[in-house]
Amino acid sequence: MKLTKKSHACIRLEKDGQTLVIDPGTFSEEDAAVGADAILVTHEHLDHFNEERLRAGMESNPAAEIWTLRSVAEKISAAFPGRVHIVGHGDTFTAAGFDVQVHGELHAVIHPDIPRITNVGYLVDGGRVFHPGDALTVPDQPVETLMLPVMAPWNKIAEVIEYVREVKPQRAYDIHDALLTDLARPIYDNQIGALGGAEHLRLAPGASAEV
């Protein structure tokens, strides 16, 4: 499986000639979802869900479909009847040849005064890749490659390190990193790499790796 990092929280997975895109948001490239056979969205926040990015992907491939939670589906389903599917925790489905399991229900706490919204994570191909969205959800099965939300208004580095320890992946790739400056990256790399207990990796936007 080929993993390509797009800006911020968006990734592209390619296998057997098909492409799955997760979370093409406002901080991601305008063409982040173009050419996708399937698109998954974890929640409604703009850095994960951008309607223009989704429309570009859906219009570039008339057979493309979206799997997401209800709050996002309600915003996009009318434009693409029959091509938008609502999912929630515990659901399983096949998208573009990828087997997907849905884990998690709520966004991480940003502040006690801010109501929590729904958030789901996607476990792909039996644990090959897990994208948690904006939550530190721990799947109930082994994870090979964890997409790690490394820096957000709702987390701190101690929580990130403990999350890696709890999931116990073989490797963790940074996502949710658009707000992390280049000056701070070595600090995060050193601490997560030294304390997380898994191989800690980072891809520049547009770079790819085999997972």
Side-chain angles (χ1 to χ4, degrees):
M1 184 189 303
K2 180 181 179 182
L3 164 68
T4 300
K5 171 75 164 62
K6 307 300 285 185
S7 293
H8 196 50
C10 182
I11 63 170
R12 293 175 69 102
L13 300 174
E14 297 173 70
K15 182 185 72 171
D16 299 331
Q18 297 198 81
T19 300
L20 175 70
V21 173
I22 304 178
D23 278 4
T26 299
F27 297 163
S28 302
E29 295 79 2
E30 291 185 4
D31 64 349
V34 171
D37 298 289
I39 304 169
L40 312 182
V41 180
T42 63
H43 66 288
E44 65 197 74
H45 284 162
L46 60 83
D47 56 328
H48 297 255
F49 161 61
N50 178 286
E51 188 170 338
E52 292 181 1
R53 306 285 191 271
L54 291 183
R55 286 179 178 272
M58 296 292 274
E59 291 169 358
S60 72
N61 180 1
E65 298 178 76
I66 295 172
W67 281 262
T68 187
L69 35 70
R70 184 175 302 277
S71 59
V72 172
E74 289 174 346
K75 294 178 174 66
I76 196 77
S77 58
F80 302 101
R83 298 171 64 189
V84 181
H85 312 281
I86 297 173
V87 297
H89 176 70
D91 289 342
T92 61
F93 58 92
T94 300
F98 295 85
D99 294 325
V100 183
Q101 299 176 17
V102 184
H103 292 263
E105 299 181 80
L106 290 173
H107 191 287
V109 174
I110 301 172
H111 186 276
D113 291 350
I114 300 175
R116 295 175 73 183
I117 62 170
T118 308
N119 176 94
V120 295
Y122 297 108
L123 188 71
V124 180
D125 279 358
R128 297 269 302 277
V129 173
F130 181 58
H131 190 307
D134 275 7
L136 302 180
T137 302
V138 179
D140 58 3
Q141 60 185 277
V143 172
E144 292 182 20
T145 300
L146 174 65
M147 307 314 301
L148 182 65
V150 70
M151 192 275 183
W154 48 266
N155 73 17
K156 58 185 180 181
I157 196 167
E159 296 170 335
V160 174
I161 292 167
E162 289 302 313
Y163 183 51
V164 177
R165 289 180 173 183
E166 193 169 1
V167 176
K168 298 181 178 67
Q170 294 180 21
R171 66 194 70 87
Y173 278 99
D174 285 354
I175 57 168
H176 215 285
D177 56 356
L179 302 180
L180 186 63
T181 69
D182 288 340
L183 185 65
R185 286 186 185 275
I187 299 172
Y188 279 73
D189 291 344
N190 291 337
Q191 294 189 355
I192 297 171
L195 300 173
E199 185 180 15
H200 177 238
L201 302 160
R202 177 160 43 88
L203 291 171
S208 301
E210 295 294 325
V211 297

